[in-house]
Amino acid sequence: MYNRIIEQFIAAQKAAHAAYAAAAAFERETVAAVPDHYLSVDLRSEYRTERELQSFCRSVAGGVVNRARREFAPAGARLDIDNQDEYERAGLDIGEALKAGKIPDLDGLWTSMARRYGGHGGAELAYQQAAQRIVSGFGLNRKREVQRTASVVVLRKHAISEACYGRSARKVGYYSCQSTADCLSGLATFAAKAGHHMLAGGLNRVNVHQVEYNYREKHSYPGLDIVFFKEAWEFRFSHQVADDLMLFLGEYGEAFMQEAV
């Protein structure tokens, strides 16, 4: 399927070149006395055509990987797949293939990913990645203390905040945005896997680049309250959600809990 798309694009390039060549020839015949540098129809160089084809193939290849990210991720989860890793695993080298006059085998790329992530492969990897983001976000591999009270289990996420311009509210600082977003993404994946769908939906709607809060302000979700401090977000889980989270981390995150800092 994908190879055929590239073949169609090459055919379109050839057709366009032929059409421009015909237009250029007609112009020369019609105004034969005009010097070449005054002619209007410009034929693209072979280099520009090759560069366009390579760019197109890379774009299609990226689309193939994006499709795998969507189709092989479990519902409500994020699946991280590195483009270059997948190209190498499938033996795909777009530049070398085109240089050899061959069609880059993007069908083979899809087959490689379907074999690797199909069935439960994508789901297992997505859950492992989510567990890793949670462990990293809360520093659980550093044996950070987990506070358990009569009503909640507390985990703290380091998140430096900064003042919102012209307002008393605060927002996540630039250097804390990605780690905070990753932690929330991991928790949303866990929540969906554990059947806490309303919690997963709420966490997925949090945009760390836009959320604003005041000191000690609380945002509540089913089974979880998040309390905001100047340099941290405090996650207060219900006992049920916390117990499910520990089971999730025990199944998918044990290796990351042992990682050295």
Side-chain angles (χ1 to χ4, degrees):
M1 175 178 68
Y2 292 106
N3 292 5
R4 183 62 179 155
I5 291 173
I6 297 174
E7 290 170 357
Q8 288 290 314
F9 186 81
I10 293 173
Q13 280 187 315
K14 291 178 178 178
H17 180 80
Y20 277 109
F26 178 77
E27 182 182 27
R28 283 182 172 78
E29 293 171 2
T30 304
V31 288
V34 175
D36 284 351
H37 60 273
Y38 285 119
L39 295 174
S40 301
V41 180
D42 180 33
L43 291 178
R44 289 195 303 173
S45 67
E46 184 175 327
Y47 171 74
R48 287 178 60 191
T49 300
E50 290 174 351
R51 186 173 59 178
E52 178 188 56
L53 176 58
Q54 185 166 114
S55 176
F56 177 78
C57 291
R58 293 192 182 281
S59 177
V60 176
V64 175
V65 179
N66 281 333
R67 177 188 170 190
R69 292 189 182 105
R70 294 191 307 271
E71 292 192 11
F72 297 126
R78 162 182 149 195
L79 176 61
D80 291 337
I81 302 176
D82 182 80
N83 288 38
Q84 192 58 43
D85 286 348
E86 297 306 322
Y87 300 162
E88 292 176 3
R89 190 173 288 116
L92 174 68
D93 188 322
I94 291 173
E96 286 301 314
L98 293 176
K99 192 182 299 183
K102 300 177 180 178
I103 300 294
D105 188 12
L106 301 193
D107 289 338
L109 172 63
W110 174 254
T111 299
S112 172
M113 288 190 295
R115 186 183 304 116
R116 181 175 175 82
Y117 302 114
H120 298 292
E124 288 294 307
L125 179 59
Y127 295 142
Q128 291 167 13
Q129 291 172 344
Q132 185 175 27
R133 289 192 287 270
I134 295 169
V135 169
S136 175
F138 292 119
L140 297 177
N141 56 330
R142 295 190 290 272
K143 310 302 181 185
R144 187 171 293 175
E145 181 183 358
V146 177
Q147 180 185 355
R148 191 177 188 96
T149 71
S151 57
V152 298
V153 174
V154 181
L155 291 174
R156 288 176 68 87
K157 166 73 180 73
H158 182 71
I160 298 294
S161 65
E162 58 187 42
C164 297
Y165 181 75
R167 300 188 298 284
S168 61
R170 302 189 70 81
K171 62 181 181 179
V172 182
Y174 175 80
Y175 292 105
S176 293
C177 274
Q178 189 59 57
S179 66
T180 304
D182 285 345
C183 186
L184 290 172
S185 170
L187 287 173
T189 296
F190 142 72
K193 171 70 165 61
H196 302 291
H197 299 296
M198 293 182 65
L199 173 58
L203 292 173
N204 276 324
R205 286 191 291 272
V206 178
N207 185 332
V208 297
H209 298 283
Q210 297 179 354
V211 66
E212 297 181 2
Y213 48 87
N214 294 304
Y215 182 69
R216 287 190 173 275
E217 182 179 343
K218 179 173 69 175
H219 289 188
S220 295
Y221 306 91
L224 170 66
D225 291 333
I226 302 176
V227 183
F228 302 100
F229 296 89
K230 187 175 181 180
E231 296 187 355
W233 287 17
E234 189 171 276
F235 290 72
R236 300 176 179 177
F237 298 91
S238 70
H239 284 177
Q240 180 62 63
V241 172
D243 289 345
D244 290 343
L245 177 58
M246 292 305 108
L247 288 173
F248 178 83
L249 294 178
E251 183 174 359
Y252 298 104
E254 187 63 31
F256 310 116
M257 298 281 279
Q258 309 304 323
E259 285 183 350
V261 180

